[in-house]
């Protein structure tokens, strides 16, 4: 005869719904309000302004959940590494400042890139990353 698990064990075996915590809400808000992609450390620093004492592990856990929910997207930007941004679904490109390391969203797309593709090739998608100095770093270096 098979034994039934105790109610405590049965409850522990069930997947738990993610908790809605002030820390998680702060991380979500940081990405919703960001004007461009953020590193995990940038997200932690901004979230700490909303929820002092938030730790990097909490940011990583929340980020994993937001990625699973498709509320946030990971973006691998050459020269900047993997950054995260709210999943807006809009096509855009990036400008990376080589002085401060921040990535900025470019709202325009040059389009008509098929003309650059060799004969017989099919363009299916493209990513454009511009590199240089942002306005703040350019001013401070002048």
């Amino acid at each position: 005869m098979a034994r039934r698990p105790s109610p405590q064990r049965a409850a522990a075996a069930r997947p738990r719904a993610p908790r809605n915590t002030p820390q998680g809400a702060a991380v979500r808000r940081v990405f919703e309000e960001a004007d461009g992609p953020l590193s995990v450390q940038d997200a932690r620093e901004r979230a700490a302004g909303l929820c002092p004492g938030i730790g990097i592990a909490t940011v990583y856990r929340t980020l994993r959940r937001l990625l699973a929910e498709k509320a946030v997207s990971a973006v691998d930007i050459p020269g900047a590494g993997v950054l995260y941004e709210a999943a807006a679904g809009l096509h855009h490109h990036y400008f990376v400042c080589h002085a401060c390391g921040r990535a900025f969203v470019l709202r325009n797309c040059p389009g008509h890139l098929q003309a650059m593709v060799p004969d017989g090739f099919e363009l299916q998608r493209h990513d454009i990353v511009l590199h240089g100095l942002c306005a703040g770093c350019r001013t401070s270096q002048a």
Side-chain angles (χ1 to χ4, degrees), residues 10-122:
R14 275 186 240 123
R16 290 189 290 172
R19 297 182 329 179
N20 291 323
T21 64
Q23 295 87 349
V27 173
R28 181 182 293 271
R29 184 171 161 197
V30 161
F31 285 104
E32 288 171 349
E33 294 178 358
D35 58 354
L38 302 172
S39 70
V40 175
Q41 187 59 38
D42 288 338
R44 193 209 64 77
E45 289 170 7
R46 291 183 185 199
L50 302 170
C51 189
I54 190 168
I56 196 76
T58 300
V59 174
Y60 274 109
R61 275 193 305 275
T62 305
L63 197 48
R64 260 195 314 274
R65 190 172 83 237
L66 294 173
L67 286 164
E69 294 172 4
K70 298 190 183 332
V72 168
S73 299
V75 188
D76 191 1
I77 300 177
V82 178
L83 302 176
Y84 302 89
E85 66 183 351
L90 301 173
H91 176 75
H92 55 265
H93 303 291
Y94 304 95
F95 180 97
V96 177
C97 176
H98 67 79
C100 67
R102 287 187 58 204
F104 300 85
V105 173
L106 303 175
R107 302 283 178 210
N108 297 325
C109 180
H112 308 298
L113 298 176
Q114 185 64 41
M116 296 172 59
V117 176
D119 289 339
F121 286 57
E122 176 186 345

